[in-house]
Amino acid sequence: MNTRGTSVTNTLAIIEIVAECGVGITAKEIAQRLGLPPATAYRLLNSLVADEYLIRTADLRGFGLGARLRGLAAALNTPTVSRAARQRLAEFRASTRFAVNLIGFGASTVRVIDQDPDHPVPAERELTRCLHASAAGKLLLSVHSDWPALVPAPIRLTPNTRVTHAALAADIAAIRSTGHARAVDELLPGLTCFAYPIRSESGTPDAALCLAGATSRLDAMTTFDESARKCAAQLETLLF
């Protein structure tokens, strides 16, 4: 690539290279592939990280797509919610007094694709940006063997938020064992959420059925476990 290209051209080229090569590509590799001086590559990479277009890997050596680009990817890959799927969601919502939301998965991000009309999603920005703090986010992380690269530096949103990879690893092991995820007072104080996978034909979760409510009613929420799993399974054929 011509090293005299504009900063915008070089910035877009960096994003393209990271998307093509995947999580872990280093600044040195990016500079070499694009024919950029190392100082220029580092300056542009630091700017992209600061603006959340890229993230650093856990070892701080490599880079991956950040929350803002993952959100764009999710928007482009959002499944269509059919009339039949909306009807099934409405039926399940009518059976519980808790919030029932449909969350779509991108390669490394989550997005609300059908919101409970009676219970607006609280902290939606944090939900989409902090995979480690929500049930849906942790369910998505559990699919990836390299999940630490998606949350290189977990931030604390509440006293209960998991901010170490060791704590998250324990949660992910539990998700893989039980087949569903939960977050208790991790996204917001007093909020509990359960996430049940909705799998596409490939067998991997491409969305989640999420049940949310006050932590003080946690025991009542668990009584809907079986019906939530059933609803999630039925949505698989209606969404994908």
Side-chain angles (χ1 to χ4, degrees):
M1 173 166 291
N2 188 340
T3 58
R4 293 176 296 177
T6 67
S7 292
V8 172
T9 299
N10 290 332
T11 297
L12 292 174
I14 287 175
I15 291 173
E16 188 175 12
I17 289 294
V18 175
E20 176 187 338
C21 296
V23 175
I25 187 170
T26 65
K28 182 179 180 180
E29 292 169 331
I30 291 170
Q32 289 175 341
R33 291 193 58 162
L34 297 179
L36 292 174
T40 299
Y42 278 110
R43 175 175 57 80
L44 294 174
L45 284 164
N46 287 333
S47 178
L48 286 166
V49 169
D51 290 336
E52 299 185 355
Y53 287 108
L54 297 181
I55 58 171
R56 292 184 182 275
T57 55
D59 60 9
L60 301 182
R61 295 182 63 250
F63 297 86
L65 297 182
R68 296 179 73 172
L69 288 175
R70 296 199 306 269
L72 176 61
L76 294 174
N77 291 285
T78 297
T80 300
V81 183
S82 66
R83 181 179 299 179
R86 293 184 189 279
Q87 179 60 36
R88 184 65 189 94
L89 282 167
E91 291 170 355
F92 185 56
R93 285 167 178 155
S95 72
T96 171
R97 295 180 180 178
F98 298 105
V100 177
N101 296 294
L102 185 61
I103 307 296
F105 290 173
S108 54
T109 191
V110 300
R111 181 170 181 260
V112 180
I113 57 176
D114 194 279
Q115 184 169 200
D116 191 317
D118 297 323
H119 303 278
V121 176
E124 185 172 351
R125 184 175 185 272
E126 289 75 12
L127 169 69
T128 58
R129 289 177 177 240
C130 303
L131 297 179
H132 63 288
S134 70
K138 288 195 283 188
L139 182 61
L140 176 59
L141 290 178
S142 73
V143 177
H144 294 271
S145 59
D146 61 343
W147 62 263
L150 301 182
V151 283
I155 62 173
R156 187 179 297 281
L157 299 178
T158 77
N160 275 22
T161 306
R162 310 294 197 258
V163 293
T164 67
H165 285 166
L168 280 170
D171 282 356
I172 287 172
I175 293 167
R176 291 171 177 169
S177 174
T178 64
H180 75 281
R182 78 174 194 171
V184 180
D185 298 336
E186 296 177 51
L187 188 67
L188 285 175
L191 178 70
T192 286
C193 182
F194 291 84
Y196 299 87
I198 301 173
R199 304 180 188 278
S200 63
E201 291 183 354
S202 67
T204 59
D206 277 0
L209 177 71
C210 292
L211 187 67
T215 300
S216 60
R217 301 195 62 205
L218 175 59
D219 289 344
M221 290 179 66
T222 60
T223 64
F224 290 94
D225 181 78
E226 183 177 349
S227 57
R229 290 178 189 272
K230 181 178 179 180
C231 181
Q234 292 170 333
L235 287 170
E236 291 177 357
T237 59
L238 300 176
L239 286 174
F240 303 114

